[in-house]
Structure formats: structure tokens, C-alpha cells
Amino acid sequence: WANWEFHLSFDARVGLILSTASIYDSQKQERRPVLYRGFISELFVPYMDVTEEWYNRAYFDAGEYGIGISVAPLQPKVDCPENAAFMDGYMTSHDGKPIKMPNVFCIFERYAGDIMWRHTEFSVPGRIITESRPELTLVVRMVTTVGNYDYIVDWEFFQSGVIKVEVGLTGVLEVKGTNYTYKDQVHEEIYGTLLAPNTIGTYHDHFMTFHLDLDVDGQDNSLVKSHLDIMAVKKHHSPRKSYWTVKSETAQRESDGRIHLGSKSAEILFVNPNKRTKLGNTIGYRLVPGPAIHPLLLEDDYPQLRAGFTKYSVMVTPYNKSEKWASGLFTDQSHGDDTLETWSLRDREIENKDIVLWYTMGIHHVTSQEDFPIMPTVSIGFELRPANFFETNPVLSIKSPKDIRWINCSMKTDKSI
Ligand SMILES: *[C@@H]1O[C@H](CO)[C@@H](O)[C@H](O)[C@H]1NC(C)=O
Ligand SMILES: *[C@@H]1O[C@H](CO)[C@@H](O)[C@H](O)[C@H]1NC(C)=O
Ligand SMILES: *[C@@H]1O[C@H](CO)[C@@H](O)[C@H](O)[C@H]1NC(C)=O
Ligand SMILES: [Cu+2]
């Protein structure tokens, strides 16, 4: 599609797997690799009610249930727009036979009225010059309904080289029955919000850990962490007292690659140290993170021991074919001794190697009445964005559309919808 090429596959454990994504660079006239493989490796949802029937509710949706096994067939024209194409998935049943999962993915072009780039030049005397291009992207979508929740997973490809991943949370909350019908009756810990008479929506988290095996313009990459530091102007050569500048360091080992996002302004960059632009900048891709989330459980709490990989927003490991699932190979019986966290403790070298970015985003879900009985979609997401990957703006030469006729609002709709 446009300048992108990629493969899409279906997996029982994690659902949608994107692989060998590369972009055609029209300036260099060559196809350049970006992402070797990307998927949601684990989805950890611990509930905060510690009572007898609830304390064990701390779900690993990929490792225990299967994001792919739980996938929901997409409804044409409702879950995906009119112009979408659909794909089936296949997985193995318990007796070894193939099972067809219909319409697990939809793929569509999105024109949402957004602007790809524009400028109006007012400074030429006697003239006003405007150039503008509409944004047109490609979306690959999957919906997985793991028990009560529905997760809408979108991978969106932009012609500018951006890959945007968005996860929408909707569905039904996990609720608990109660005698209470009004807030003022409650004088004890109920671990949630009264959503409706006799109904408590228990507090919980959604941690989403992504496996992103970037291959930025080639297999061997390095992680560069940058901080923006406030600098004081020492000599009196400027009326200004301060400015900020970028301090970068290249991670050598796995211990350098464990990063808490959110506290200090940090930039996460995957670079190819063996390649540079004509100007000498190192070719890279940046992680533009979504909402940072940090565990709010004690480290020796059982669910947290098994989900130790949620401790950092970013972790980087050397590529290892056996290290795909952040919660370990056998999540059901896990004691937390085979997880991304424990692999990373080997502290292997990660500089100028085939490395994998593990990124965790999510939300602490403080439930509210609007979430009941079915919650309106809440979306969170992140971007992988070129950073000195191209010599200039790669979408500069995109032609201005002359007369596009987009589907208009008076289009007849199917009455059954
Ligand atoms: C709920 O009400 C019933 C009947 O009055 C009572 O037996 C029970 O203890 C109450 N439960 C709680 C949790 O307050
Ligand atoms: C690859 O991963 C497996 C599972 O964690 C581990 O047993 C093995 O030692 C790893 N290999 C290397 C070279 O790190
Ligand atoms: C909108 O679409 C309908 C049906 O295709 C067509 O008859 C109509 O002329 C269109 N209106 C405009 C303003 O393009
Ligand atoms: Cu939630």
C-alpha cells in the first residue's frame, strides 16, 4: 500500500502479528526495512479487590486466554468502514485440526479529513501562497473480546513513515454484587465505584506490553536514550538565563535499556549506528509513547511477581527466537521466573545488535458510572516515527489531489444496521 509493504499473520496467543514492514524511499529509490515483527505480547489486567472470591483476578489475557483465540469476527460496515477488505485467520484446534476464524482482520484506507502537511506563505508581497495535502493512511484492525472486555487494536501506516498503534478499550466491566444502593451507605473498603444499584465496578489496570523488533534500515541497531536538560547561561553574553539541550547516551547492556517513562522528559530512539544521512546524522526511529503506567502493587505481591515485566515502560533485549512472550512460555503456572524481567537480568549486550524494544503502556482504570452497562471506547496509543531516517520530508512530493469525490453523507445506509 502506497510506499509501505508488510506481512500480516494471525496467532492464537497474540492475535495480530505485523512483520517485515518496509518503506520505499523515493529519494534513495530503495526499499528500507523498519519493523521486523510487532505484536502485543501480553495484556495484564489485575483487579484491586482482595476478598475471597476476587483476589485471584489478575488476568494475563495473552498467556492465559489467548488474544487470538478470543478474537471476534468483524462486522462489515459497523466494526470497519465500507471500503474495508477482510481476512480470515487459522489456528490449531485441540485435536490438531485447523480451525478457520472468519473476518479476524479488516484493512482499509482512512481519510478522516485530516491534514498531512500544509503552509500558507503570507510574507511574499502581494501574494498569498497555500499548499496543503490531505492525510491518507492504511489501517489494519483486529478486535479481541477477552471475557468481559473488548480491545480494538489498530495498526495505522502513514505515508510519512509513521506507524501508529492504537488500542481502544470497550465492552462490559467486571462487576460485583452488593447490598449497597447509594454511596452514603458505604462505610467500608469496596475496592471500586458504585456504578448502579447493587453493582460495584472494581478498580483495575490494563498493562499492554508490545514486542517491537525494529530493524531500522538494517538488522543491527542501538538504543539511544536522550534527556532534555535545562542549561543555565553562565557567562553574561546573552540576556537569557537558560535554555534546554539534548543529552544522549547509547545503551550498552540490557540494564541500560530499562527505562521508566513519565518522570523525566526522555526520548527513546532506535538507531542504525552503521548508517548515516548525507549530513552525518545517525539514521533512526523514535518511540513516541502513550500514557505511562507503573505498577501500583507491592513487588512481592503474587500477581506482580508474575508480571514483573510491567515494572519498566521500556526494556530492550537482544533478539532471541525463544523470547517472544513477556509473561513466559507457560503463563498459567508461572511463578515469575521465566518472564521478560528475568531474561533481562542476564544483562546481555545490546549495542549494534539485532535488538527488540519492549514497550508497556496502559491505564489505571478508576471506574465511573458512564462505564456501565457497556463502556464507551477509551483509546490509547503510541507511534514509531522516523528520526533522521529520511533526507527530507518524505511526503513532500505527494501530488495535490485535484478533485477527490469522497463518499458523502447522503449515501444510502443499510436499514439493518
Ligand atoms: C446483605 O443483606 C443481607 C440481608 O439483610 C445480610 O444478611 C447480609 O449480611 C448483607 N451483606 C452485606 C455484605 O452487607
Ligand atoms: C534464549 O532464550 C532462552 C529462553 O529465555 C534461553 O534459555 C537461552 O539461553 C537464550 N539464549 C541466549 C543466547 O541468550
Ligand atoms: C451524494 O451521493 C449521492 C449518492 O451517491 C448522489 O446522488 C449525490 O449527488 C451526492 N451529493 C453530492 C453533493 O455529491
Ligand atoms: Cu478497564
Side-chain angles (χ1 to χ4, degrees):
W1 176 80
N3 44 1
W4 281 102
E5 233 175 51
F6 57 83
H7 289 86
L8 176 62
S9 70
F10 179 74
D11 180 84
R13 180 157 174 157
V14 297
L16 195 166
I17 298 183
L18 231 293
S19 58
T20 53
S22 62
I23 190 162
Y24 184 76
D25 182 336
S26 55
Q27 291 155 338
K28 287 206 161 123
Q29 303 211 339
E30 62 177 53
R31 185 157 285 289
R32 302 172 67 194
V34 176
L35 182 69
Y36 177 69
R37 194 182 278 133
F39 54 87
I40 300 183
S41 182
E42 193 50 271
L43 240 166
F44 175 51
V45 189
Y47 283 78
M48 294 302 133
D49 187 331
V50 302
T51 58
E52 180 60 26
E53 307 82 9
W54 276 74
Y55 72 87
N56 61 321
R57 299 187 195 206
Y59 303 114
F60 293 83
D61 284 345
E64 292 177 336
Y65 294 87
I67 293 174
I69 292 171
S70 309
V71 106
L74 293 163
Q75 308 292 306
K77 294 197 221 172
V78 189
D79 289 328
C80 308
E82 178 104 29
N83 59 326
F86 291 82
M87 270 179 67
D88 301 329
Y90 290 86
M91 57 178 207
T92 318
S93 71
H94 295 295
D95 61 5
K97 294 204 178 89
I99 308 178
K100 177 172 161 180
M101 309 275 282
N103 290 3
V104 293
F105 301 134
C106 72
I107 305 157
F108 57 92
E109 272 190 348
R110 174 184 278 162
Y111 167 70
D114 290 333
I115 297 170
M116 178 190 274
W117 60 259
R118 83 174 309 288
H119 182 59
T120 297
E121 185 58 57
F122 286 115
S123 62
V124 180
R127 289 184 69 190
I128 295 174
I129 305 164
T130 294
E131 281 284 340
S132 185
R133 298 289 183 276
E135 188 77 272
L136 182 67
T137 65
L138 187 78
V139 179
V140 180
R141 175 170 295 167
M142 167 189 77
V143 172
T144 183
T145 305
V146 195
N148 53 308
Y149 258 100
D150 297 61
Y151 295 93
I152 305 160
V153 182
D154 281 0
W155 287 73
E156 185 170 13
F157 291 84
F158 291 69
Q159 297 172 72
S160 61
V162 170
I163 302 176
K164 183 175 172 183
V165 181
E166 195 163 83
V167 180
L169 290 78
T170 175
V172 179
L173 291 190
E174 198 149 295
V175 295
K176 180 180 179 175
T178 178
N179 282 4
Y180 300 124
T181 52
Y182 191 71
K183 187 173 193 293
D184 290 359
Q185 299 163 352
V186 183
H187 299 292
E188 56 168 345
E189 179 69 83
I190 59 166
Y191 312 102
T193 307
L194 198 59
L195 298 182
N198 310 107
T199 311
I200 295 168
T202 305
Y203 300 146
H204 58 276
D205 304 309
H206 301 267
F207 289 90
M208 303 165 193
T209 300
F210 285 84
H211 171 111
L212 301 164
D213 184 352
L214 288 158
D215 273 3
V216 178
D217 213 14
Q219 190 173 286
D220 292 341
N221 289 176
S222 294
L223 166 70
V224 172
K225 304 184 280 183
S226 298
H227 296 280
L228 306 188
D229 280 355
I230 302 174
M231 306 295 285
V233 178
K234 292 203 185 79
K235 292 175 195 129
H236 297 286
H237 60 76
S238 166
R240 284 276 298 275
K241 289 189 162 62
S242 61
Y243 63 102
W244 61 256
T245 193
V246 185
K247 294 278 169 67
S248 299
E249 75 181 281
T250 303
Q252 316 274 311
R253 295 187 163 271
E254 288 180 282
S255 51
D256 306 319
R258 297 182 203 128
I259 301 164
H260 277 293
L261 291 176
S263 48
K264 217 173 159 196
S265 57
E267 302 250 287
I268 307 297
L269 205 61
F270 256 47
V271 300
N272 186 328
N274 313 303
K275 294 203 177 154
R276 291 174 178 220
T277 61
K278 282 182 194 152
L279 297 176
N281 289 313
T282 311
I283 280 170
Y285 250 76
R286 191 189 304 282
L287 170 72
V288 182
I293 184 170
H294 303 299
L296 295 176
L297 292 175
L298 295 179
E299 271 193 53
D300 62 348
D301 200 351
Y302 298 107
Q304 190 55 44
L305 285 172
R306 304 172 70 204
F309 56 90
T310 57
K311 205 154 93 187
Y312 299 96
S313 320
V314 168
M315 292 178 89
V316 176
T317 57
Y319 175 80
N320 178 332
K321 174 173 140 186
S322 311
E323 295 178 353
K324 283 186 197 155
W325 322 122
S327 58
L329 193 53
F330 301 111
T331 310
D332 267 330
Q333 298 294 323
S334 166
H335 291 239
D337 44 15
D338 173 32
T339 69
L340 166 59
E341 189 197 21
T342 60
W343 312 332
S344 159
L345 289 175
R346 290 188 208 128
D347 208 15
R348 294 160 288 189
E349 284 180 17
I350 54 168
E351 193 186 357
N352 201 6
K353 284 197 157 28
D354 186 7
I355 50 176
V356 179
L357 170 65
W358 301 83
Y359 168 60
T360 298
M361 68 169 184
I363 50 170
H364 299 292
H365 193 163
V366 178
T367 51
S368 64
Q369 281 188 247
E370 292 80 0
D371 299 343
F372 187 81
I374 294 183
M375 83 182 244
T377 306
V378 173
S379 292
I380 58 174
F382 68 90
E383 284 182 16
L384 299 170
R385 202 177 171 87
N388 298 321
F389 186 86
F390 294 107
E391 294 292 336
T392 60
N393 176 353
V395 283
L396 196 65
S397 56
I398 284 196
K399 289 203 175 71
S400 184
K402 285 289 178 286
D403 181 22
I404 303 181
R405 292 181 59 86
W406 304 104
I407 299 168
N408 71 31
C409 301
S410 60
M411 189 188 75
K412 281 204 186 92
T413 50
D414 186 340
K415 288 268 163 43
S416 66
I417 293 170

